[in-house]
């Protein structure tokens, strides 16, 4: 089922790896400021883990002859790990009192909500539905959008 998605998986894995590298560089440039803000290291970790999720889910989708149900299990297990980082970031964001930089609830929700399409996609793949691949694609796109915002925060907004 995933063979038709090979080009998509290759492209998104490369883009996610490059963006993860950018975020790691952004962290190294502003590491002192990132550590000063209690929720920021967890937010950065959630952003990086969501990009790594794309890389490994895409790589797993490229494994020749893989059974679709097994791919669904892999997606769910990998998503659970990334979701742990997202939930940790959400909890730390909600605990941190930083009212002047926007609504905490929205900042906390974004990393967790990005994981929902991966969960739905993994379950659908486990059940043998190719619609799960579309849900994964939606998750990839949401993570890319959220990660670009995260990179901007780590590079620019953190210094304001």
């Amino acid at each position: 089922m995933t063979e038709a998605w090979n080009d998509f998986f290759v492209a998104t894995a490369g883009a996610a790896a490059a963006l993860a590298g950018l975020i790691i560089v952004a962290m190294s440039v502003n590491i002192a400021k990132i550590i000063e803000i209690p929720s920021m290291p967890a937010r950065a970790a959630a952003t990086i883990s969501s990009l790594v999720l794309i890389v490994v889910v895409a790589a797993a989708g490229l494994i020749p002859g893989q059974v679709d149900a097994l791919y669904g299990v892999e997606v769910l297990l990998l998503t659970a790990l990334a979701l742990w980082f997202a939930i940790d970031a959400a909890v730390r964001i909600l605990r941190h009192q930083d009212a002047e930089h926007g609504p905490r609830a929205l900042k906390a929700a974004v990393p967790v909500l990005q994981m929902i399409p991966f969960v739905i996609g993994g379950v659908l793949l486990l059940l043998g539905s190719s619609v799960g691949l579309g849900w994964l694609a939606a998750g990839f796109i949401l993570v890319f959008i959220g990660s670009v915002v995260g990179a901007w925060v780590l590079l620019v907004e953190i210094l304001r």
Side-chain angles (χ1 to χ4, degrees), residues 79-146:
T79 301
L81 181 60
L83 186 58
W84 182 86
F85 283 102
I87 290 170
D88 179 55
V91 168
R92 291 173 191 268
I93 290 166
L94 292 172
R95 286 184 182 160
H96 181 59
Q97 301 295 324
D98 188 17
E100 71 181 66
H101 288 102
R104 287 183 301 167
L106 180 62
K107 291 179 196 176
V110 167
V112 176
L113 292 175
Q114 291 178 131
M115 297 296 111
I116 292 173
F118 288 93
V119 173
I120 295 170
V123 169
L124 289 172
L125 288 166
L126 182 62
L127 298 174
S129 174
S130 63
V131 174
L133 293 168
W135 279 96
L136 291 183
F140 286 16
I141 292 166
L142 285 176
V143 166
F144 280 130
I145 293 167

Side-chain angles (χ1 to χ4, degrees), residues 14-103:
L19 189 51
L22 170 66
I23 291 169
I24 291 169
V25 169
M27 289 177 60
S28 70
V29 169
N30 294 325
I31 194 67
K33 186 67 175 171
I34 290 169
I35 292 171
E36 285 178 20
I37 303 170
S39 64
M40 198 56 66
R43 285 179 70 182
T47 301
I48 292 169
S49 70
S50 66
L51 289 166
V52 170
L53 176 64
I54 290 176
V55 172
V56 293
V57 166
L62 292 169
I63 297 171
Q66 179 168 219
V67 177
D68 296 333
L70 177 59
Y71 183 49
V73 170
E74 292 166 355
V75 168
L76 290 172
L77 291 174
L78 294 165
T79 301
L81 181 60
L83 186 58
W84 182 86
F85 283 102
I87 290 170
D88 179 55
V91 168
R92 291 173 191 268
I93 290 166
L94 292 172
R95 286 184 182 160
H96 181 59
Q97 301 295 324
D98 188 17
E100 71 181 66
H101 288 102

